[in-house]
Amino acid sequence: MRDFDDRRPAGGPALGERRIGAFEKGRSGPLVFLVGGVHGNEPEGLEAGRRVLARLARDDPPFRGRVVLVAGNLTALARGRRFVDLDLNRMWTETSYPPPGGAPRPGEPVEFWERRALAEVFAEECRAAEGRRIACLDLHSCSSEGAPFACMGDTIRNRRLAFALPIPVLLGLEETLDGTLLDHFYVRGHVAVAVEGGRSGLPSTVERLEDLCWFALAGMGCLETSAIPGLEERRARLTEACAGLPRVLEIRYREALEPGDRFEMGSGFRTFDRVERGRLLARKNGGECRAPEDGYLLLPLYQGQGNDGFFLGRRVRPFWLRVSAILRRLRVFKMLPLLPGVRRDPDRPRSLVVDPAVARWRTIEILHLLGYRKERPRGGLLVFSRRPD
Ligand SMILES: [Zn+2]
């Protein structure tokens, strides 16, 4: 393991180390980032990306656009930890950080520099890809067993990529988490999907993540699905891992942890376990954490670092996704301020302010269907903003 200070070159970020490799054939097409190791104890995504690049170089299939493999938190990867000072996957709000570039500054959290250096790689690649479609597949693994799944902000363009992956798709995770890497791409109008491959340290997790990279490249149009090497085996592996699970779920609950909380997940839980309302799931600071409703348990926390104890999800019927796609195409959202308790935010044209005391109980569901995301409450009011479709 290299010492942490080795990883912070005096002259600024080492782009070559962070940009692990790329493949293109000079044919126009999208720019696709494969990002691994945003959490330093999840090296499986990088290994999966390396395998994809090696296979592309060997087979040299017909390929449109460019795929780039990028390493996330280099310092934490070198130490085998989720993060050093701050979770790099919660730092992508636009306002709170200095612009990309620049060397590490004395006394600043390690992840400030990591974020700047990573943002610089993205910016450089995106500048060169001006006018082309841009997508990010953010590769994760986790501390519990369970089937793979994808997470996305529910925009129409994200759906195209997420539904090219033969695994369950989870909506609304980004609504409960501020500043994930996906946000960095959403605000720029790009496609971004995160995938969880399974438990860290398992060879099957690397295999699944590699499979998902291939399906993502096909979903973005870089290569034909039929050109995926070992297509049937990859599809069978993912389908088998997800047998019996819903195609689409939405996050209903997050057990949030504060620094210093003592949290202990009950033993033996796996991602996608069905749990019923009232089931004892974990203990926090001596108290009980019980399921607030029936649902699917997601990402139960079995590691020391992290501020999400677990999530609960609920199945979404595909019918509602089709309805919402039609409503968005019709731009029905323009009529939303006509609903009781809903008004436009005077300062921000894409945002709505909702008074929960006045709005009908279905209002939040309607806003979700139309592509709005809930932000932090402001006073007693709820604020929703619409992502660029
Ligand atoms: Zn992760």
Side-chain angles (χ1 to χ4, degrees):
M1 187 187 296
R2 294 175 59 181
D3 183 62
F4 148 66
D5 286 315
D6 284 5
R7 293 254 162 192
R8 304 174 105 192
L15 290 181
E17 257 184 335
R18 200 172 289 278
R19 189 163 21 199
I20 290 174
F23 182 82
E24 65 178 316
K25 302 184 73 168
R27 292 182 62 193
S28 75
L31 168 65
V32 179
F33 291 106
L34 304 175
V35 182
V38 167
H39 290 136
N41 58 346
E42 302 170 9
E44 290 76 17
L46 289 178
E47 178 54 27
R50 283 195 185 94
R51 290 186 189 179
V52 170
L53 290 180
R55 188 70 192 250
L56 284 169
R58 197 186 86 194
D59 293 359
D60 199 27
F63 194 90
R64 289 176 290 272
R66 172 175 168 85
V67 54
V68 190
L69 176 62
V70 183
N73 194 334
L74 288 180
T75 316
L77 279 162
R79 294 180 173 194
R81 296 180 56 180
R82 183 176 169 90
F83 56 84
V84 180
D85 296 318
L86 294 168
D87 189 333
L88 186 58
N89 203 28
R90 303 286 182 274
M91 296 175 64
W92 299 89
T93 50
E94 288 305 302
T95 46
S96 24
Y97 298 95
R105 289 160 204 172
E108 72 175 357
V110 164
E111 278 77 15
F112 275 31
W113 173 75
E114 293 284 348
R115 183 194 184 282
R116 285 203 300 278
L118 198 49
E120 186 164 313
V121 174
F122 294 142
E124 214 177 81
E125 290 282 346
C126 290
R127 267 197 304 275
E130 185 72 59
R132 288 148 59 184
R133 285 185 305 136
I134 296 173
C136 170
L137 186 70
D138 185 18
L139 302 155
H140 289 259
S141 43
C142 56
S143 61
S144 50
E145 307 257 350
F149 63 89
C151 309
M152 64 161 187
D154 187 19
T155 65
I156 302 296
R157 73 178 101 206
N158 280 342
R159 286 184 186 182
R160 269 185 227 125
L161 172 55
F163 291 123
L165 311 174
I167 56 174
V169 175
L170 199 61
L171 307 177
L173 190 67
E174 89 300 348
E175 201 173 86
T176 68
L177 305 175
D178 273 333
T180 68
L181 179 61
L182 303 184
D183 284 341
H184 180 74
F185 290 90
Y186 293 157
V187 298
R188 289 164 176 77
H190 304 323
V191 174
V193 171
V195 288
E196 286 283 354
R199 188 159 75 77
S200 298
L202 296 179
S204 61
T205 301
V206 179
E207 280 178 350
R208 289 169 178 179
L209 289 172
E210 187 194 342
D211 298 340
L212 292 168
C213 291
W214 286 109
F215 282 104
L217 290 175
M220 286 302 294
C222 293
L223 80 175
E224 298 299 325
T225 305
S226 57
I228 294 177
L231 171 66
E232 289 316 319
E233 193 190 325
R234 294 185 196 280
R235 200 197 303 272
R237 183 158 45 213
L238 293 172
T239 318
E240 193 188 321
C242 303
L245 297 178
R247 184 73 171 107
V248 188
L249 301 96
E250 63 176 340
I251 289 286
R252 300 277 298 170
Y253 179 77
R254 167 186 177 233
E255 182 65 44
L257 304 181
E258 301 294 335
D261 276 347
R262 280 174 297 114
F263 179 81
E264 193 186 344
M265 194 71 214
S267 62
F269 285 110
R270 295 162 49 102
T271 280
F272 287 114
D273 278 350
R274 295 292 300 263
V275 297
E276 65 291 344
R277 180 162 177 258
R279 171 97 173 262
L280 180 61
L281 299 176
R283 289 181 184 280
K284 183 164 86 174
N285 302 329
E288 294 179 334
C289 303
R290 293 183 179 271
E293 61 180 51
D294 294 357
Y296 289 89
L297 183 68
L298 298 152
L299 299 174
L301 183 71
Y302 290 110
Q303 63 184 359
Q305 284 183 306
N307 45 13
D308 314 308
F310 56 82
F311 298 88
L312 282 180
R314 179 176 75 174
R315 177 172 181 260
V316 177
R317 283 186 297 146
F319 169 74
W320 288 111
L321 292 178
R322 288 195 293 274
V323 168
S324 70
I326 294 166
L327 293 178
R328 289 183 208 186
R329 235 172 276 136
L330 295 173
R331 305 183 76 75
V332 170
F333 51 81
K334 288 186 182 261
M335 287 152 62
L336 282 170
L338 299 176
L339 291 173
V342 180
R343 62 189 162 80
R344 222 176 278 288
D345 186 330
D347 305 323
R348 295 183 305 164
R350 302 184 77 88
S351 297
L352 297 171
V353 180
V354 177
D355 183 348
V358 180
R360 303 274 161 78
W361 65 277
R362 276 283 185 193
T363 302
I364 291 175
E365 267 95 344
I366 292 170
L367 289 170
H368 276 159
L369 281 176
L370 292 170
Y372 281 81
R373 158 198 170 139
K374 190 163 67 186
E375 297 179 353
R376 300 304 120 208
R378 190 194 293 166
L381 303 173
L382 301 173
V383 180
F384 288 81
S385 62
R386 190 164 56 82
R387 308 178 194 87
D389 258 343

